[in-house]
Amino acid sequence: MEKISESDFLEVVGARVHNLKNIDVTIPRNQLVVITGLSGSGKSSLAFDTIYAEGQRRYIESFSAYARQFLGNMERPDVDKITGLSPVISIEQKTVNKNPRSTVGTITEIYDFLRLLYARASEAFSYVTGEKMVRYSDDQIIDLILEKFYDKKVLILAPVVKGRKGHYRELFEQIKKWGFLRVRIDGEVVELTKRIQLDRYKVHDIEIVIDRLEVNADSRPRISESLQLAMKQGSRIFE
């Protein structure tokens, strides 16, 4: 038979907050536990004003004296002893977000920290090729173009619409005002001097043709200039 350790439980001894009458309770850890009872019986007093309050107080006490002076001191709840208490999170009993896709992560704002952690500490891989995604500098991109496409004619493109529906008449007019003459629509290069009519109910990919050139040693300055312009235009998002 597996031996049960004291660390497997959260134990509350002598809780007297609000309606609690010197109660003792033992709660198993790593399990979903529901506290039920009549209105006014002390459910919230036990969960929020005793267990959560003590966990928050201990967390703040772990800060330096300098940090605590800005947070203030928290009073210890009226309880004799609480053991087995880990860092805790409290979610209020009211709806704080009307988004039906809200989760514990978004409501408690842990989601923002997880995004930052994954962005900084993780390694991303392309779901299309399975290759590791890396970040290149401008010079590295130019060197890669010279290496892979030397003596070949290439198009330098700036994606502005990717996998979205619409006719995009206003977008084409705006691109012409920016001074560009061609776009690539769903893989086909089209001149903007012609009237373009897209099916608004189909998904489209639209890219601005920034430059057309032959890659060689003499074209490096031109590639660099076109690349900078492509990066600028590609950062636009057309709604």
Side-chain angles (χ1 to χ4, degrees), residues 84-195:
L85 183 61
S86 302
V88 292
I89 295 173
S90 171
I91 301 174
E92 295 185 18
Q93 299 177 77
K94 62 182 180 181
T95 302
V96 295
N97 195 325
K98 296 181 180 180
N99 190 332
R101 293 180 295 176
S102 294
T103 64
V104 173
T106 54
I107 293 174
T108 59
E109 299 180 355
I110 289 179
Y111 175 69
D112 298 325
F113 293 104
L114 289 175
R115 287 178 58 188
L116 180 62
L117 175 64
Y118 286 130
R120 298 297 182 185
S122 65
E123 294 182 349
F125 291 84
S126 170
Y127 67 89
V128 177
T129 64
E131 296 180 358
K132 182 179 177 180
M133 299 172 66
V134 295
R135 183 174 182 176
Y136 289 110
S137 66
D138 292 352
D139 287 336
Q140 287 175 319
I141 295 174
I142 296 171
D143 290 339
L144 197 60
I145 292 173
L146 289 169
E147 177 186 341
K148 291 195 171 185
F149 302 100
Y150 199 83
D151 282 340
K152 295 180 181 179
K153 293 182 178 180
V154 300
L155 297 177
I156 295 181
L157 307 169
V160 288
V161 172
K162 189 171 180 64
R164 297 183 59 188
K165 297 179 181 179
H167 54 72
Y168 294 109
R169 286 193 294 267
E170 296 85 356
L171 175 61
F172 296 135
E173 290 297 323
Q174 186 63 56
I175 292 173
K176 283 200 292 186
K177 291 179 181 178
W178 292 337
F180 299 103
L181 303 177
R182 298 175 181 84
V183 292
R184 189 170 78 167
I185 304 171
D186 302 332
E188 181 182 354
V189 176
V190 180
E191 293 187 1
L192 288 174
T193 53
K194 301 177 182 178
R195 180 179 177 83

Side-chain angles (χ1 to χ4, degrees), residues 50-68:
T50 304
I51 298 174
Y52 172 66
E54 177 63 9
Q56 189 179 43
R57 185 187 70 84
R58 293 183 188 181
Y59 174 63
I60 290 178
E61 282 192 347
S62 70
F63 290 2
S64 66
Y66 177 76
R68 287 202 306 270

